[in-house]
Amino acid sequence: MSKILVTGGTGYIGSHTVVELHNAGYTPVIIDNLSNSSLKILDQIEKIIGVKPEFHQFDLCEETLVTNFVKNNPDITGIIHFAASKAVGESVEKPLKYYRNNFFSLINILQAYNDKKINFVFSSSCTVYGEPDQLPVTESAPVKKATSPYGNTKQIAEEILEESANAYGNYNVIALRYFNPVGAHESALIGELPLGVPQNLLPFITQTAIGKREKLTVFGGDYDTPDGSCIRDYIHVVDLAKAHVAAIKLLEKGNPNGNYDVFNVGTGNGYSVLEAITAFENESGRKLNYTIGPRRGGDIIKVWGDVTKSTQQLGWTAQLGIDQMMSSAWAWEKYLQEQPIA
Protein backbone atom coordinates (compact mmCIF):
# COMPACT_ATOMS: atom_id res chain seq x y z
CA MET A 1 0.00 0.00 0.00
CA SER A 2 0.86 3.66 0.15
CA LYS A 3 4.01 5.13 1.64
CA ILE A 4 3.18 7.53 4.45
CA LEU A 5 5.74 10.01 5.79
CA VAL A 6 5.59 10.35 9.58
CA THR A 7 7.49 13.38 10.82
CA GLY A 8 8.50 13.04 14.45
CA GLY A 9 7.95 9.32 13.99
CA THR A 10 10.21 8.20 16.83
CA GLY A 11 8.32 10.40 19.30
CA TYR A 12 5.53 9.35 21.60
CA ILE A 13 2.48 9.60 19.35
CA GLY A 14 4.52 9.19 16.18
CA SER A 15 5.95 5.80 17.14
CA HIS A 16 2.53 4.40 17.99
CA THR A 17 1.16 5.75 14.72
CA VAL A 18 3.99 4.06 12.79
CA VAL A 19 2.91 0.76 14.35
CA GLU A 20 -0.75 1.29 13.50
CA LEU A 21 0.07 2.37 9.92
CA HIS A 22 2.01 -0.86 9.46
CA ASN A 23 -0.83 -2.88 10.96
CA ALA A 24 -3.21 -1.24 8.47
CA GLY A 25 -1.01 -2.22 5.52
CA TYR A 26 0.82 1.08 4.92
CA THR A 27 4.58 1.58 4.62
CA PRO A 28 5.63 4.25 7.13
CA VAL A 29 8.72 6.37 6.50
CA ILE A 30 10.09 8.36 9.45
CA ILE A 31 11.84 11.72 9.65
CA ASP A 32 12.99 12.80 13.10
CA ASN A 33 15.86 14.91 14.42
CA LEU A 34 15.81 12.97 17.73
CA SER A 35 15.64 16.20 19.74
CA ASN A 36 13.01 14.67 22.01
CA SER A 37 13.26 10.95 21.31
CA SER A 38 15.73 8.11 20.95
CA LEU A 39 17.08 6.15 17.99
CA LYS A 40 16.47 3.01 20.06
CA ILE A 41 12.74 3.47 19.48
CA LEU A 42 13.30 2.09 15.97
CA ASP A 43 14.45 -1.18 17.53
CA GLN A 44 11.41 -1.17 19.80
CA ILE A 45 9.08 -0.67 16.83
CA GLU A 46 10.82 -3.53 15.02
CA LYS A 47 10.15 -5.82 17.98
CA ILE A 48 6.44 -5.05 17.66
CA ILE A 49 5.89 -5.16 13.89
CA GLY A 50 8.77 -7.38 12.77
CA VAL A 51 10.46 -4.86 10.46
CA LYS A 52 12.51 -1.75 11.09
CA PRO A 53 10.85 1.25 9.41
CA GLU A 54 12.78 3.43 7.00
CA PHE A 55 14.33 6.28 8.96
CA HIS A 56 15.90 9.63 8.07
CA GLN A 57 17.51 11.82 10.72
CA PHE A 58 17.47 15.53 10.05
CA ASP A 59 15.83 18.76 11.16
CA LEU A 60 12.77 19.78 9.14
CA CYS A 61 13.63 23.41 9.84
CA GLU A 62 16.50 23.00 7.34
CA GLU A 63 14.82 23.83 4.04
CA THR A 64 17.47 22.30 1.75
CA LEU A 65 17.32 18.96 3.54
CA VAL A 66 13.54 18.84 3.24
CA THR A 67 13.66 19.71 -0.46
CA ASN A 68 16.24 17.01 -1.13
CA PHE A 69 14.22 14.40 0.73
CA VAL A 70 11.11 15.14 -1.31
CA LYS A 71 13.07 14.93 -4.59
CA ASN A 72 14.54 11.59 -3.56
CA ASN A 73 11.26 10.10 -2.33
CA PRO A 74 8.67 10.69 -5.06
CA ASP A 75 6.46 7.79 -3.96
CA ILE A 76 5.26 9.39 -0.70
CA THR A 77 1.47 9.81 -0.96
CA GLY A 78 0.61 11.00 2.53
CA ILE A 79 2.13 12.91 5.43
CA ILE A 80 1.33 12.74 9.13
CA HIS A 81 3.05 15.71 10.70
CA PHE A 82 3.96 15.39 14.38
CA ALA A 83 7.37 17.06 14.44
CA ALA A 84 7.07 20.03 16.80
CA SER A 85 7.93 21.29 20.25
CA LYS A 86 4.96 20.43 22.43
CA ALA A 87 5.12 21.42 26.12
CA VAL A 88 2.77 24.19 27.24
CA GLY A 89 4.85 25.27 30.23
CA GLU A 90 8.13 25.34 28.32
CA SER A 91 6.54 27.33 25.51
CA VAL A 92 5.68 30.10 27.96
CA GLU A 93 9.33 30.21 29.02
CA LYS A 94 10.84 29.77 25.52
CA PRO A 95 8.36 31.14 22.97
CA LEU A 96 10.90 31.74 20.19
CA LYS A 97 11.94 28.07 20.25
CA TYR A 98 8.32 27.10 19.67
CA TYR A 99 7.65 29.58 16.89
CA ARG A 100 10.81 28.56 15.06
CA ASN A 101 10.41 24.79 15.36
CA ASN A 102 6.70 24.57 14.79
CA PHE A 103 6.38 27.00 11.88
CA PHE A 104 9.58 26.48 9.92
CA SER A 105 9.15 22.71 9.80
CA LEU A 106 5.56 22.96 8.56
CA ILE A 107 6.24 25.62 5.95
CA ASN A 108 9.27 23.78 4.60
CA ILE A 109 7.23 20.62 4.07
CA LEU A 110 4.38 22.46 2.38
CA GLN A 111 6.77 24.30 0.07
CA ALA A 112 8.56 21.10 -0.85
CA TYR A 113 5.28 19.41 -1.81
CA ASN A 114 3.77 22.45 -3.48
CA ASP A 115 3.64 20.82 -6.92
CA LYS A 116 2.53 17.34 -5.77
CA LYS A 117 -0.82 15.91 -4.78
CA ILE A 118 -0.51 15.04 -1.11
CA ASN A 119 -2.75 13.90 1.75
CA PHE A 120 -1.77 15.70 4.93
CA VAL A 121 -2.80 14.90 8.51
CA PHE A 122 -1.78 17.53 11.04
CA SER A 123 -1.19 17.00 14.72
CA SER A 124 -3.26 19.80 16.20
CA SER A 125 -4.61 20.26 19.70
CA CYS A 126 -7.66 21.08 21.76
CA THR A 127 -5.64 24.05 23.01
CA VAL A 128 -6.99 25.95 19.97
CA TYR A 129 -10.30 26.25 21.83
CA GLY A 130 -8.71 28.04 24.76
CA GLU A 131 -11.07 28.06 27.74
CA PRO A 132 -14.25 26.90 25.96
CA ASP A 133 -17.62 28.58 26.58
CA GLN A 134 -19.50 25.27 26.43
CA LEU A 135 -18.59 21.69 27.25
CA PRO A 136 -18.17 19.29 25.64
CA VAL A 137 -16.46 21.41 23.01
CA THR A 138 -17.33 20.79 19.34
CA GLU A 139 -15.35 21.51 16.20
CA SER A 140 -17.60 24.50 15.51
CA ALA A 141 -16.59 26.20 18.77
CA PRO A 142 -14.70 29.45 18.24
CA VAL A 143 -10.93 29.35 18.21
CA LYS A 144 -9.92 31.68 21.03
CA LYS A 145 -6.79 33.62 21.74
CA ALA A 146 -4.23 31.06 22.81
CA THR A 147 -3.14 30.91 26.44
CA SER A 148 0.37 29.75 25.53
CA PRO A 149 2.83 30.04 22.63
CA TYR A 150 2.41 26.30 22.06
CA GLY A 151 -1.34 26.73 21.63
CA ASN A 152 -0.75 29.72 19.37
CA THR A 153 1.49 27.67 17.07
CA LYS A 154 -1.33 25.14 16.65
CA GLN A 155 -3.85 27.86 15.85
CA ILE A 156 -1.64 29.57 13.30
CA ALA A 157 -0.54 26.24 11.78
CA GLU A 158 -4.18 25.36 11.18
CA GLU A 159 -4.65 28.71 9.43
CA ILE A 160 -1.55 28.09 7.30
CA LEU A 161 -2.86 24.68 6.29
CA GLU A 162 -6.38 25.85 5.49
CA GLU A 163 -5.19 28.82 3.45
CA SER A 164 -2.62 26.69 1.61
CA ALA A 165 -5.19 23.99 0.83
CA ASN A 166 -7.57 26.61 -0.54
CA ALA A 167 -4.91 28.48 -2.53
CA TYR A 168 -2.95 25.66 -4.13
CA GLY A 169 -5.45 22.85 -4.58
CA ASN A 170 -2.98 19.99 -4.26
CA TYR A 171 -3.18 19.57 -0.49
CA ASN A 172 -5.94 17.52 1.10
CA VAL A 173 -5.71 18.28 4.82
CA ILE A 174 -7.22 17.00 8.03
CA ALA A 175 -6.24 18.61 11.33
CA LEU A 176 -6.84 16.33 14.30
CA ARG A 177 -7.52 18.38 17.41
CA TYR A 178 -6.70 15.95 20.12
CA PHE A 179 -6.96 16.12 23.79
CA ASN A 180 -4.49 14.59 26.31
CA PRO A 181 -2.66 11.49 25.05
CA VAL A 182 -1.58 9.03 27.74
CA GLY A 183 -0.76 5.35 28.09
CA ALA A 184 1.54 3.05 26.13
CA HIS A 185 1.46 0.15 23.68
CA GLU A 186 0.10 -3.08 25.11
CA SER A 187 3.49 -4.73 24.54
CA ALA A 188 5.10 -2.18 26.91
CA LEU A 189 7.81 -1.74 24.25
CA ILE A 190 6.99 1.86 23.36
CA GLY A 191 5.48 4.69 25.37
CA GLU A 192 6.04 8.28 26.40
CA LEU A 193 9.77 8.91 26.75
CA PRO A 194 10.40 12.42 28.07
CA LEU A 195 14.00 13.58 28.05
CA GLY A 196 14.79 15.31 31.32
CA VAL A 197 12.01 16.44 33.62
CA PRO A 198 8.59 15.41 32.23
CA GLN A 199 6.33 18.22 31.05
CA ASN A 200 3.18 16.07 31.00
CA LEU A 201 1.22 14.58 33.89
CA LEU A 202 1.34 10.85 33.40
CA PRO A 203 5.09 10.31 32.97
CA PHE A 204 5.59 12.41 36.09
CA ILE A 205 3.07 10.16 37.87
CA THR A 206 4.82 6.96 36.77
CA GLN A 207 8.31 8.31 37.50
CA THR A 208 7.18 9.33 40.98
CA ALA A 209 5.62 5.93 41.58
CA ILE A 210 8.78 4.09 40.59
CA GLY A 211 11.10 6.39 42.55
CA LYS A 212 12.71 8.48 39.81
CA ARG A 213 11.02 11.59 41.21
CA GLU A 214 10.68 12.45 44.87
CA LYS A 215 7.18 13.81 44.54
CA LEU A 216 4.54 15.01 42.10
CA THR A 217 3.28 18.57 42.16
CA VAL A 218 -0.32 19.16 41.08
CA PHE A 219 -0.41 22.61 39.49
CA GLY A 220 -3.33 24.34 41.20
CA GLY A 221 -5.89 23.07 43.67
CA ASP A 222 -8.25 26.03 43.69
CA TYR A 223 -9.77 25.93 40.20
CA ASP A 224 -13.52 26.04 39.66
CA THR A 225 -13.84 22.25 39.41
CA PRO A 226 -15.30 19.66 41.81
CA ASP A 227 -11.93 18.87 43.44
CA GLY A 228 -10.04 22.07 42.54
CA SER A 229 -7.71 20.49 39.97
CA CYS A 230 -7.79 20.91 36.19
CA ILE A 231 -9.99 18.61 34.11
CA ARG A 232 -8.83 16.99 30.89
CA ASP A 233 -10.06 14.52 28.28
CA TYR A 234 -7.40 11.80 28.47
CA ILE A 235 -7.12 9.53 25.44
CA HIS A 236 -5.09 6.35 25.07
CA VAL A 237 -2.23 6.88 22.64
CA VAL A 238 -3.08 3.70 20.69
CA ASP A 239 -6.62 4.99 20.08
CA LEU A 240 -5.11 8.29 18.99
CA ALA A 241 -2.71 6.56 16.61
CA LYS A 242 -5.60 4.70 15.02
CA ALA A 243 -7.39 8.01 14.48
CA HIS A 244 -4.50 9.17 12.28
CA VAL A 245 -4.81 6.03 10.18
CA ALA A 246 -8.55 6.67 9.85
CA ALA A 247 -7.80 10.23 8.71
CA ILE A 248 -5.40 9.03 6.02
CA LYS A 249 -8.01 6.55 4.80
CA LEU A 250 -10.67 9.26 4.60
CA LEU A 251 -8.35 11.52 2.59
CA GLU A 252 -7.51 8.67 0.21
CA LYS A 253 -11.20 7.99 -0.31
CA GLY A 254 -11.97 11.68 -0.67
CA ASN A 255 -13.29 13.79 2.18
CA PRO A 256 -16.76 15.04 1.22
CA ASN A 257 -16.21 18.10 3.43
CA GLY A 258 -13.56 19.47 1.07
CA ASN A 259 -9.79 19.85 1.03
CA TYR A 260 -9.52 21.07 4.63
CA ASP A 261 -11.28 19.67 7.67
CA VAL A 262 -10.89 19.38 11.45
CA PHE A 263 -11.84 16.61 13.87
CA ASN A 264 -11.81 16.32 17.64
CA VAL A 265 -10.04 13.20 18.89
CA GLY A 266 -10.78 12.30 22.49
CA THR A 267 -13.03 10.11 24.60
CA GLY A 268 -15.65 12.72 25.38
CA ASN A 269 -15.05 12.28 29.11
CA GLY A 270 -13.32 14.65 31.49
CA TYR A 271 -11.14 13.55 34.41
CA SER A 272 -9.50 15.86 36.91
CA VAL A 273 -5.80 15.61 37.70
CA LEU A 274 -6.66 14.21 41.13
CA GLU A 275 -9.02 11.65 39.56
CA ALA A 276 -6.23 10.59 37.21
CA ILE A 277 -3.90 10.16 40.19
CA THR A 278 -6.48 8.02 41.98
CA ALA A 279 -7.03 5.90 38.85
CA PHE A 280 -3.29 5.31 38.62
CA GLU A 281 -3.03 4.38 42.29
CA ASN A 282 -5.84 1.88 41.85
CA GLU A 283 -4.24 0.26 38.80
CA SER A 284 -0.66 0.21 40.08
CA GLY A 285 -1.25 -0.47 43.75
CA ARG A 286 1.18 2.37 44.52
CA LYS A 287 0.37 5.40 46.66
CA LEU A 288 1.76 8.58 45.14
CA ASN A 289 3.65 11.26 47.03
CA TYR A 290 2.06 14.44 45.70
CA THR A 291 1.43 17.99 46.83
CA ILE A 292 -0.80 20.79 45.58
CA GLY A 293 1.31 23.62 44.17
CA PRO A 294 0.61 26.97 42.51
CA ARG A 295 -1.13 27.23 39.18
CA ARG A 296 1.00 26.89 36.03
CA GLY A 297 0.98 29.56 33.35
CA GLY A 298 -0.95 28.69 30.20
CA ASP A 299 -3.08 25.90 31.66
CA ILE A 300 -6.76 25.59 30.71
CA ILE A 301 -9.09 24.94 33.64
CA LYS A 302 -11.31 22.31 32.06
CA VAL A 303 -11.84 20.89 28.62
CA TRP A 304 -13.23 17.74 27.09
CA GLY A 305 -14.44 17.07 23.61
CA ASP A 306 -17.56 16.22 21.66
CA VAL A 307 -16.35 13.44 19.34
CA THR A 308 -19.58 12.91 17.39
CA LYS A 309 -18.05 14.10 14.13
CA SER A 310 -15.06 11.76 14.44
CA THR A 311 -17.36 8.83 15.19
CA GLN A 312 -19.69 9.54 12.28
CA GLN A 313 -17.30 10.76 9.58
CA LEU A 314 -13.92 9.23 10.44
CA GLY A 315 -15.55 5.99 11.52
CA TRP A 316 -13.37 6.09 14.62
CA THR A 317 -14.17 5.76 18.32
CA ALA A 318 -11.86 5.52 21.32
CA GLN A 319 -11.89 1.98 22.71
CA LEU A 320 -9.58 2.12 25.72
CA GLY A 321 -10.60 3.61 29.06
CA ILE A 322 -8.83 5.38 31.92
CA ASP A 323 -7.88 2.10 33.64
CA GLN A 324 -6.12 0.81 30.51
CA MET A 325 -4.40 4.17 30.07
CA MET A 326 -2.95 3.96 33.57
CA SER A 327 -2.06 0.27 33.57
CA SER A 328 -0.26 0.47 30.21
CA ALA A 329 1.68 3.57 31.27
CA TRP A 330 2.76 1.77 34.45
CA ALA A 331 3.82 -1.33 32.52
CA TRP A 332 5.93 0.90 30.25
CA GLU A 333 7.58 2.63 33.21
CA LYS A 334 8.46 -0.74 34.75
CA TYR A 335 9.92 -1.86 31.42
CA LEU A 336 12.10 1.27 31.34
CA GLN A 337 13.29 0.47 34.85
CA GLU A 338 14.58 -2.88 33.63
CA GLN A 339 15.74 -1.83 30.14
CA PRO A 340 16.45 1.91 29.97
CA ILE A 341 16.06 3.66 26.65
CA ALA A 342 17.97 6.90 26.22
Side-chain angles (χ1 to χ4, degrees), residues 11 23 54 108 144 146 149 153 193 209 216 247 269 324 329:
N23 291 344
E54 181 180 336
N108 285 343
K144 294 188 174 182
T153 66
L193 187 66
L216 167 71
N269 300 307
Q324 290 154 308

Side-chain angles (χ1 to χ4, degrees), residues 206-214 286 330 337:
T206 59
Q207 289 188 11
T208 302
I210 211 157
K212 292 181 182 177
R213 305 287 165 189
E214 180 183 353
R286 298 284 183 98
W330 181 230
Q337 182 82 350

Side-chain angles (χ1 to χ4, degrees), residues 160-221:
I160 291 170
L161 285 163
E162 182 174 16
E163 290 165 2
S164 297
N166 291 335
Y168 300 112
N170 61 304
Y171 308 116
N172 291 309
V173 181
I174 285 177
L176 296 182
R177 293 173 174 171
Y178 37 86
F179 289 75
N180 286 61
V182 295
H185 192 265
E186 62 182 1
S187 66
L189 290 171
I190 54 174
E192 191 164 6
L193 187 66
L195 302 183
V197 179
Q199 298 286 330
N200 297 328
L201 175 64
L202 200 51
F204 218 115
I205 286 178
T206 59
Q207 289 188 11
T208 302
I210 211 157
K212 292 181 182 177
R213 305 287 165 189
E214 180 183 353
K215 67 178 180 179
L216 167 71
T217 299
V218 176
F219 296 113

Side-chain angles (χ1 to χ4, degrees), residues 43-114:
D43 297 326
Q44 301 298 101
I45 293 173
E46 183 179 14
K47 291 174 185 176
I48 297 172
I49 66 176
V51 294
K52 184 175 289 189
E54 181 180 336
F55 174 74
H56 302 264
Q57 181 180 348
F58 64 88
D59 190 338
L60 290 164
C61 292
E62 300 297 331
E63 183 178 357
T64 301
L65 299 180
V66 177
T67 302
N68 289 340
F69 172 84
V70 172
K71 288 179 180 178
N72 295 329
N73 293 271
D75 51 350
I76 297 288
T77 61
I79 300 169
I80 302 179
H81 183 51
F82 294 109
S85 299
K86 63 175 186 175
V88 170
E90 184 189 45
S91 77
V92 175
E93 299 168 359
K94 302 176 181 178
L96 290 181
K97 171 184 176 181
Y98 277 68
Y99 290 125
R100 179 188 185 278
N101 289 351
N102 296 6
F103 291 148
F104 287 11
S105 59
L106 174 62
I107 291 169
N108 285 343
I109 292 171
L110 291 175
Q111 285 181 330
Y113 280 100
N114 197 25

